Amino acid sequence: MPVEFLSNEQAAAYGAFAEVPSRAELERYFFLDDADRALVEAKRRPHNRLGYALQLTAVRYLGVFPDDVTQVPAAVAEYLAAQLDITDVGLLKEYGAREKTRFEHMWELRAELGYQDFATAEIELRSWVDARAWTTGDGPKALFDAAVGWLRERRVLLPGVSTLARLVAGVREATTQRLWETLYALLDPGQRAVLDALLEVPAGARASELERLRRAVVRVSGPQMEKALARAAEIAGLGFTEVDLSGVPPRRLAELSRYGMDGKASLLRRHAAARRLSTLLATVVHLTTRSVDDALDLLDVLIATKLLARAERESTKAKIKALPRMERASAKLAAAMSALIDVTSDQVDYETGEVVAPPAAASVEAVWEHIEAVVPRRELAAAIAAVLELAPPLDSDAEEAWRAQLVTRFATVRPFLPALTQVVDFGATPQGSQVLAALRSLPGLLGRKKVTPAEIDTDLLAGSWRRLVLASPHVETGYVDWKAYVFCVLETFHRMLRRREIFACNSSKWGDPRAKLLAGTAWEAARDTVLASLKLPAEAGDHLADRAALLDGTYREVAARLPANTQIRFGEDGRLHLAALEPEAEPPSLLRLRAAVNAMLPAVDLPEVLLEVFSWTGADRAFTSITGGEARLADLHVTIAALLVAHGCNVGYAPVIGNADALTRDRLSHVDQTYLRLATYRAANAALITAQADIGLAQAWGGGLVASVDGMRFVVPVPSIYARPNPKYFGRRAGATWLNLLNDQAAGLGGKVVAGTPRDSLYVLDVLYDRDGGRRPEMIVTDTASYSDIVFGLLTLAGYTYAPQLADLPDAKMWRIDTTADYGPFEVAARGRIDLARIERHWEDILRIIGSIHTGAVRAYDVIRMLSRDGRPTPLADAIAHYGRIHKSLHILRLADEPDYRRQIKAQANLQEGRHALARKIFHGKNGQLYQSYHEGMEDQLGALGLVLNALVLFNTRYMDAALTQLRAEGFDVRDEDVARLSPFVRRHINMLGRYSFSLPDLPEGLRPLRDPDTSDGG
């Protein structure tokens, strides 16, 4: 039975003091309460009391009694001795001299504390590990650690490391085999044959059927949309939608489908029947919904960019092209009308207002004579014709021009319309049901020459669509322009699909978020836990009264301090203005310290940084094989470091290929496909985040409780439905945004890739709830683009302090609850009213919404889109927004009253900008553009970038910390306030270009020697 999942270091750390416990661990495990003291004080001699106390507390920490108490870390012995008023910890040598005493104390403690042997709990542990492995699919190391925790919680003494490792490995292997056999048993012989056929390569083809079906379309066009729907129909037609998979945990299905989506057909063919067919079943079931997701992603991009946006652009171009002609015609008409008015009006003395003469023209002929003296009649007729041709009708709206242009692009949608509602199982809310019915009727109109108004839903014809459909000049009287009607329905359908009033029942991404919200017994079961976790009350009354009192009191306190506050002023319109924050001066001591520390950093190649960080953290061990087997490759960490450089620097394989076995192209390609994926990036990143938090310098920067979310933009120059246009960021191409979460210790806690440049506010909560690791931050900083009242409400409900930068502060309305209160200068600024009754009416639904987000039942993105209807919030969204306005107003008041609060927000935002600047330097290849067509490829490559970023920051932080220690020892002027302003984003000492060194020198002291700042050129 394989137990190689534990490294030598991990095995040695099992049940032993691998490192000195932290202060928090000392306080948790080694503090002696009254009951402990009673046991310890029963011993007469000091060395027995100290030894007994060590055994008592060490078993809590290690899960086993120590073999030699004299070998425990000195910090542990000193901590216990201080509690027992023992001044000489050297007394422990006397305790260890008599072996029988140690055993007698151990037996006594087992009886007193209720510890039991492993053999008595082995059967129960096997059952627990089996259940956990079945439901989670965790790897052997994670299961091993969980089993250790289980044994400690139940006061079961740990067995030998090989005993527990073999138990975990054996149970996990049996559970995995049971999973394969369970899925295999659900298939009949015909279905098994269909699945096996997917691994065959048809004659004349270069790839298997499975590889063909896994490949989604990436180009945006009508024919590609037709192909996307055909792919979804083909996958659904394989006949596996009816297989009952309810007895299999979703996480295990997802794990199998990931392997099936990434593994080569040749590799899958080599597996035994149960494993092969279970993997294929999970993959096809995943593809059934994924292919619909892909088709609707493409439809969204097609309608938004190729139809609506292009129609607007072309109508604008047509207007601009016709503008000179329109201007000339309008000028002639204006001149003619001016002459007409002049010659047909009484002549008035403007000083007295008296009529002094009749009109200059007494007849029609005279009128025309005056007009033609200005504009000849022929030119006037041409001008009238031009205006009639170019100007919209008087009852038109602003959308008519581009909507008319849209109708000319009917050939784009004609190919896929019949299949759209056949392949995608759409559903709708009551608000969307009428539009969905109209969408389903569209195929019946295609190809018709004449369609009457009775055959369409005229209630959907809003604005200029009514004229374009019912009064088109190209259609006979009594009939409608059904092509215009098609686009009327598609435009409304697209809008409702985005806000999920229409949804796809056979889709994951475009499904109904309402169906995912906790409801009924599920909500009742989770309700108390959610409320306790988020510290929210079941009833809103007292809670809202407290919020109201806090807001009222804050207004009054800030208003009372205004005379002494030079940072704010109120404009003539009563709006609040904040003075610009003056940048903090950099004292000479900071400049000297920064120069000295940066100059001491060792010069290394980027791969060496990764290899050294791996040696500190073991993060490379997070890269496990997608097959579930153990790694059988020597120097796997070297290959992983090379791949991280290839992807993180965006340079590809060529610069990292070498003569060593670990750096051959075949080896790189195999490890890339087998070991590198989003899940392993995240697991490795968690180790780096933990290591960063343990460094003293990082703790000087912050406690990990402040974080920021911001987006980094990447041009995507290859065809992709996962990129969106934005001329400001991407020029004439499309792009994607990497939203990342950074804490105040400079550790990147996670990220998310989204198409184009959507409002960050749609994704902030999802990024927060999907962290790779680290402490849960309490204060969240974003830029202005991430702000909305609904997001304020949701983040506050989720337990975060939301602190967005408000660049447009004078335009940000402040809100009050008491409309009669006198808030002095804030009277005009606080012009909005918060309706507490509205919040209280919807409180239960508000709790259910945030509870569903908190438990992961639904994405916050889907909830926010669902709550908003074209900028008009639903009543529930409005209630959440009113709750958010309480905390938005408190935030603005704090900005006005506390300069340090503003500086803290600015400092965190600057930290994020510094990280993005370093990321740009790392991601330097291919002009910093992201050459990935698929979302998974974008996530994987930017996951590599995030990991390299965190590794480099960890490397810098640890060496900067060592440099500070050395400088202090040498008597250098190291001030705490200067240390807090050092940046870990320095890079001059890191080589990121050309070919690289992958050799890691021996580091007997754990670190490289620091450079001499007097001879270094700086960092």
Side-chain angles (χ1 to χ4, degrees), residues 259-417:
Y259 180 35
M261 289 293 292
D262 295 336
K264 291 184 177 180
S266 56
L267 176 62
L268 294 173
R269 277 196 295 269
R270 292 199 293 267
H271 292 316
R275 181 177 183 182
R276 180 180 71 251
L277 291 170
S278 62
T279 302
L280 289 171
L281 173 59
T283 305
V284 170
V285 169
H286 168 75
L287 277 173
T288 302
T289 56
R290 175 60 184 273
S291 60
V292 177
D293 288 347
D294 291 339
L296 292 179
D297 281 339
L298 175 55
L299 180 65
D300 178 40
V301 183
L302 178 65
I303 292 177
T305 63
K306 297 295 185 179
L307 294 175
L308 300 180
R310 180 170 292 181
E312 290 189 41
R313 288 196 306 270
E314 290 179 356
S315 67
T316 300
K317 287 180 182 178
K319 288 178 182 178
I320 293 172
K321 185 177 180 180
L323 186 58
R325 186 181 167 200
M326 186 71 170
E327 287 176 339
R328 288 193 299 271
S330 299
K332 290 179 180 180
L333 288 176
M337 285 302 300
S338 179
L340 175 63
I341 292 171
D342 286 344
V343 301
T344 58
S345 301
D346 292 332
Q347 298 180 38
V348 179
D349 185 333
Y350 290 104
E351 292 184 3
T352 64
E354 296 180 0
V355 176
V356 297
S363 64
V364 174
E365 291 77 7
V367 171
W368 271 111
E369 183 179 341
H370 280 82
I371 293 175
E372 289 194 278
V374 178
V375 182
R377 187 177 301 201
R378 178 178 55 79
E379 293 183 16
L380 185 57
I384 293 172
V387 171
L388 290 174
E389 176 189 347
L390 300 175
L394 291 176
D395 59 347
S396 179
D397 58 23
E399 287 81 23
E400 183 164 349
W402 68 260
R403 284 174 172 172
Q405 182 66 237
L406 184 62
V407 177
T408 66
R409 305 192 61 80
F410 181 74
T412 302
V413 303
R414 172 66 179 83
F416 65 80
L417 268 181

Side-chain angles (χ1 to χ4, degrees), residues 746-788:
L749 304 184
K752 185 178 184 64
V753 181
V754 296
T757 56
R759 287 181 63 90
D760 296 353
S761 60
L762 296 173
Y763 295 97
V764 167
L765 261 175
D766 289 328
V767 173
L768 289 171
Y769 272 110
D770 204 22
R771 303 190 315 278
D772 295 345
R775 296 182 69 181
R776 183 183 190 269
E778 295 177 357
M779 177 175 160
I780 308 301
V781 175
T782 67
D783 60 17
T784 302
S786 298
Y787 152 73
S788 78

Side-chain angles (χ1 to χ4, degrees), residues 610 613-614 619 623 640 644 680-688 738 915 941-953:
L610 298 172
V613 167
F614 288 167
F623 291 94
I640 290 170
L644 289 175
T680 54
Y681 285 130
R682 297 184 62 173
N685 200 33
L688 302 188
W738 182 39
R915 186 174 192 258
Q941 184 160 10
L942 294 179
L945 173 60
L947 190 63
V948 172
L949 264 171
N950 269 6
L952 203 158
V953 168

Side-chain angles (χ1 to χ4, degrees), residues 647 650 716-720 722-723 929-939 941:
H647 297 320
N650 204 27
V716 180
V718 295
S720 174
Y722 305 104
Q929 297 179 344
L930 186 60
Y931 280 76
Q932 298 287 346
S933 294
Y934 297 100
H935 188 259
E936 289 81 357
M938 295 178 187
E939 283 191 324
Q941 184 160 10

Side-chain angles (χ1 to χ4, degrees), residues 675-834:
Y675 291 85
L676 270 63
R677 55 194 185 278
L678 185 61
T680 54
Y681 285 130
R682 297 184 62 173
N685 200 33
L688 302 188
I689 295 167
T690 299
Q692 179 78 2
D694 289 339
I695 300 175
L697 177 56
Q699 293 165 7
W701 292 331
L705 298 179
V706 178
S708 52
V709 179
D710 194 22
M712 187 174 173
R713 322 292 181 186
F714 293 88
V715 172
V716 180
V718 295
S720 174
I721 63 174
Y722 305 104
R724 298 288 191 279
N726 187 317
K728 177 180 177 181
Y729 295 102
F730 311 131
R732 304 181 68 178
R733 297 183 182 274
T737 297
W738 182 39
L739 286 174
N740 44 94
L741 176 66
L742 177 74
N743 72 5
D744 55 2
Q745 295 179 332
L749 304 184
K752 185 178 184 64
V753 181
V754 296
T757 56
R759 287 181 63 90
D760 296 353
S761 60
L762 296 173
Y763 295 97
V764 167
L765 261 175
D766 289 328
V767 173
L768 289 171
Y769 272 110
D770 204 22
R771 303 190 315 278
D772 295 345
R775 296 182 69 181
R776 183 183 190 269
E778 295 177 357
M779 177 175 160
I780 308 301
V781 175
T782 67
D783 60 17
T784 302
S786 298
Y787 152 73
S788 78
D789 291 349
I790 292 176
V791 173
F792 244 116
L794 290 175
L795 276 165
T796 304
L797 288 163
Y800 296 100
T801 299
Y802 187 31
Q805 300 181 83
L806 298 178
D808 54 351
L809 183 59
D811 296 326
K813 184 189 293 185
M814 298 180 71
W815 300 78
R816 62 168 68 206
I817 295 171
D818 185 354
T819 57
T820 64
D822 180 5
Y823 296 138
F826 287 105
E827 280 300 299
V828 176
R831 58 193 183 276
R833 179 180 176 273
I834 297 168

Side-chain angles (χ1 to χ4, degrees), residues 861-902:
Y861 168 85
D862 289 328
V863 169
I864 295 170
R865 295 302 296 260
M866 175 186 75
L867 292 172
S868 300
R869 297 174 179 169
D870 303 330
R872 298 185 299 274
T874 64
L876 175 57
D878 199 36
I880 295 173
H882 273 261
Y883 187 81
R885 287 163 187 156
I886 300 173
H887 301 276
K888 171 191 169 183
S889 300
L890 289 169
H891 171 59
I892 294 175
L893 288 168
R894 194 173 177 189
L895 288 174
D897 194 47
E898 300 179 30
D900 287 345
Y901 180 60
R902 292 173 64 195

Side-chain angles (χ1 to χ4, degrees), residues 557-597:
E557 290 174 12
V558 175
R561 288 192 287 267
L562 282 179
N565 191 337
T566 60
Q567 292 293 307
I568 69 174
R569 66 178 178 84
F570 292 89
E572 295 181 359
D573 56 0
R575 296 173 186 261
L576 176 65
H577 297 261
L578 294 183
L581 276 176
E582 293 295 329
E584 288 188 273
E586 295 190 337
S589 61
L590 171 60
L591 298 177
R592 289 192 297 270
L593 179 65
R594 180 185 294 147
V597 169

